[in-house]
Amino acid sequence: MPIRTRSDALFAAALEHIPGGVNSPVRAFRGVGGDPFFVESAQGARITDVDGNTFIDYVGTWGPAILGHAHPKIVAAVQAAAVRGTSFGIPNPAEVAMAWRVKEFVPSVQKVRFCNSGTEATMSAIRLARGFTRRDKIIKFDGCYHGHADSLLVKAGSGALTLGCPDSAGVPADLARHTLVLPYNDADAVTAAFAAHGPGIAALIVEGVPANAGLYLPKPGYYELLTHLCRDAGTVFIFDEVMTGFRLAKGGAQELYGLTPDLSCFGKIIGGGLPVGAFGGRADIMDHLAPLGPVYQAGTLSGNPLAMAAGLAALDELAAGPVAAEATRRTGNDASGNPPPHLGGYYDYLDALGRQLGAGMVDAAKAAGVTVTWQRLGSMFCGYFTEGPVWNLSDAMRSDRTKFAKFFHGMLAEGIYLAPSQFEAGFISTAHTPDDIDATVRAAAKVLRTI
Ligand SMILES: *Cc1c(COP(=O)(O)O)cnc(C)c1O
């Protein structure tokens, strides 16, 4: 086991001053047992703790680090912006450049507003949809996490799942009753909900790909059905791409699935590692926002020049793509059976690494005699310790979490950092190499034999 004297001392101190010792619950390792390590620095695909242990990192700060940690172009952009001033509270040019970039990547976005987190983006999009339709009810799906706003903390995933408290205390029942929660991938359930409540439903919100209860994918035709039901009922279709945006393709999951949502929400990658969220879509809806319209939404630090500089550098780099992605030539069987998307640039490289990891993990599990259902899309993945297929939250809940916890700690001891919860997706970055993936598969082959 790695030495962790300093991490343990810091965590003991943190517990005295910060609830649970953390500023976001999943970081506390409650889903796997044990205590978190404290990070000294991170570079590329690696993260180094305060005791000097270095890990190959598949958390990538929960998604944002698609270009790896401390990417030189992002660091330079932040440094250059910082000396010009860290916040103005009045428009700065980077906001316009960012808006232009987002619209270029995501054609369904006609107008966009920037905020400071994914939570703010989804919360604001819901308010906007309610103000636009003058309706109260919203539909969300079991296991989909959309941040921690009150209306959306009903049967949510992510930390809310790991901690076994899908509903939060402090959310008024009067508010929660406006949120209809449906099982994901169930065409009959959503058709029936629209039949019963259609004219009262302001918005339907769904993740680009549900990635806060592990990772599972929409059945063919399911998102088309959601689109049609929303259109017929005059319901605003909100696509939460906080995780999938700029991750699965430049245009996110909506590009992969050929969708045109009314509103989309962004976060994580869009800030290049700084706090940025955004929501955007149809101009006629977006123009209901203050100061043009009656829906209030604001932020002292929204469009912050430092955060915009980091986000813009990240999106610019994703737009430019790699000079040479030699590893795209590596092939293997795709464990999930997805057709390889031809996305170009970094996305082909990420997909190739995802494929390599999936094939290796499936072989390693088979050799060790452990049942693992490996789910993957592009550079996102999750291994469930149960028979497949996994199509929704109740399938995901069948996973053997004791086995996952053993796997997690075994991998950590081998220098591989996976998300400390069964119900989180893993992420590959452009800084990972085929050799990193090979090392990860070798470690897994060893660890799986001990489970
Ligand atoms: C992370 C996440 C959010 C919340 O974003 P924060 O920046 O953590 O507030 C919302 N929706 C999805 C799909 C997410 O993965």
Side-chain angles (χ1 to χ4, degrees):
M1 285 299 284
I3 291 168
R4 38 171 308 142
T5 322
R6 289 184 166 187
S7 276
D8 285 346
L10 280 164
F11 194 57
L15 285 170
E16 296 282 311
H17 310 298
I18 302 171
V22 290
N23 285 307
S24 195
V26 183
R27 297 178 197 170
F29 278 28
R30 293 283 174 95
V32 290
D35 294 332
F37 57 87
F38 278 65
V39 176
E40 179 71 36
S41 65
Q43 180 67 54
R46 284 174 171 67
I47 193 161
T48 301
D49 72 12
V50 290
D51 290 292
N53 305 300
T54 293
F55 306 92
I56 300 178
D57 177 24
Y58 289 99
V59 180
T61 183
W62 305 95
I66 191 169
L67 297 166
H69 295 284
H71 189 280
K73 289 188 183 164
I74 298 178
V75 173
V78 170
Q79 285 172 333
V83 294
R84 294 193 297 267
T86 56
S87 178
F88 310 131
I90 192 153
N92 72 80
E95 294 169 87
V96 187
M98 265 297 267
W100 183 86
R101 226 1 149 196
V102 171
K103 288 180 57 171
E104 179 202 41
F105 276 33
V106 190
S108 72
V109 173
Q110 296 170 343
K111 287 195 175 174
V112 59
R113 179 162 283 176
F114 295 104
C115 51
N116 305 291
S117 69
T119 294
E120 275 188 52
T122 54
M123 177 187 78
S124 304
I126 295 284
R127 183 182 305 140
L128 175 58
R130 283 174 163 155
F132 176 74
T133 58
R134 298 168 187 272
R135 301 171 180 179
D136 290 338
K137 282 196 176 58
I138 59 170
I139 288 179
K140 80 175 282 290
F141 296 92
D142 218 356
C144 278
Y145 178 68
H146 303 291
H148 62 91
D150 284 353
S151 298
L152 294 166
L153 259 192
V154 184
K155 301 212 173 170
S158 196
L161 257 189
T162 309
L163 302 177
C165 54
D167 296 303
S168 168
V171 175
D174 273 355
L175 194 60
R177 80 186 161 80
H178 294 297
T179 304
L180 306 174
V181 183
L182 303 177
Y184 183 79
N185 262 333
D186 184 335
D188 292 343
V190 70
T191 305
F194 272 94
H197 303 287
I201 303 172
L204 176 149
I205 186 167
V206 67
E207 283 188 60
V209 169
N212 283 286
L215 179 71
Y216 39 84
L217 307 181
K219 288 183 176 168
Y222 185 60
Y223 279 178
E224 287 79 357
L225 172 69
L226 299 185
T227 306
H228 289 139
L229 288 170
C230 285
R231 200 152 293 160
D232 287 351
T235 294
V236 177
F237 182 48
I238 304 177
F239 214 42
D240 180 354
E241 297 236 43
V242 170
M243 192 83 100
T244 51
F246 318 105
R247 162 66 61 185
L248 293 176
K250 277 189 206 169
Q254 58 193 271
E255 179 182 328
L256 281 191
Y257 295 120
L259 303 172
T260 308
D262 297 316
L263 294 178
S264 301
C265 301
F266 304 98
K268 300 194 168 115
I269 289 173
I270 201 172
L274 267 74
V276 180
F279 60 105
R282 273 168 49 189
D284 62 323
I285 300 180
M286 291 299 289
D287 284 348
H288 276 63
L289 283 175
L292 289 182
V295 179
Y296 193 70
Q297 192 277 337
T300 301
L301 293 175
S302 295
N304 174 269
L306 214 59
M308 293 288 108
L312 198 54
L315 297 193
D316 284 351
E317 182 62 16
L318 288 171
V323 178
E326 59 281 297
T328 52
R329 283 190 288 278
R330 297 203 48 143
T331 51
N333 292 326
D334 185 350
S336 65
N338 300 313
H342 293 288
L343 302 165
Y346 280 128
Y347 295 97
D348 276 346
Y349 177 71
L350 289 167
D351 189 59
L353 292 186
R355 186 179 304 271
Q356 183 193 344
L357 182 66
M361 287 297 197
V362 167
D363 287 349
K366 210 174 284 174
V370 179
T371 301
V372 174
T373 297
W374 192 262
Q375 307 260 113
R376 176 187 84 88
L377 189 59
S379 56
M380 301 169 70
F381 63 83
C382 175
Y384 291 107
F385 288 83
T386 181
E387 301 280 357
V390 177
W391 287 116
N392 55 34
L393 182 62
S394 54
D395 292 344
M397 294 301 277
R398 289 200 317 260
S399 186
D400 185 333
R401 280 183 261 172
T402 309
K403 281 190 178 147
F404 175 81
K406 279 190 195 162
F407 182 64
F408 168 84
H409 283 294
M411 292 297 275
L412 199 64
E414 294 293 321
I416 313 287
Y417 177 46
L418 300 169
S421 163
Q422 172 69 82
F423 301 114
E424 302 287 348
F427 300 101
I428 299 169
S429 78
T430 61
H432 287 80
T433 65
D435 285 347
D436 291 334
I437 305 291
D438 278 343
T440 305
V441 169
R442 275 198 307 278
K446 185 172 157 191
V447 172
L448 284 166
R449 279 199 297 273
T450 68
I451 282 173

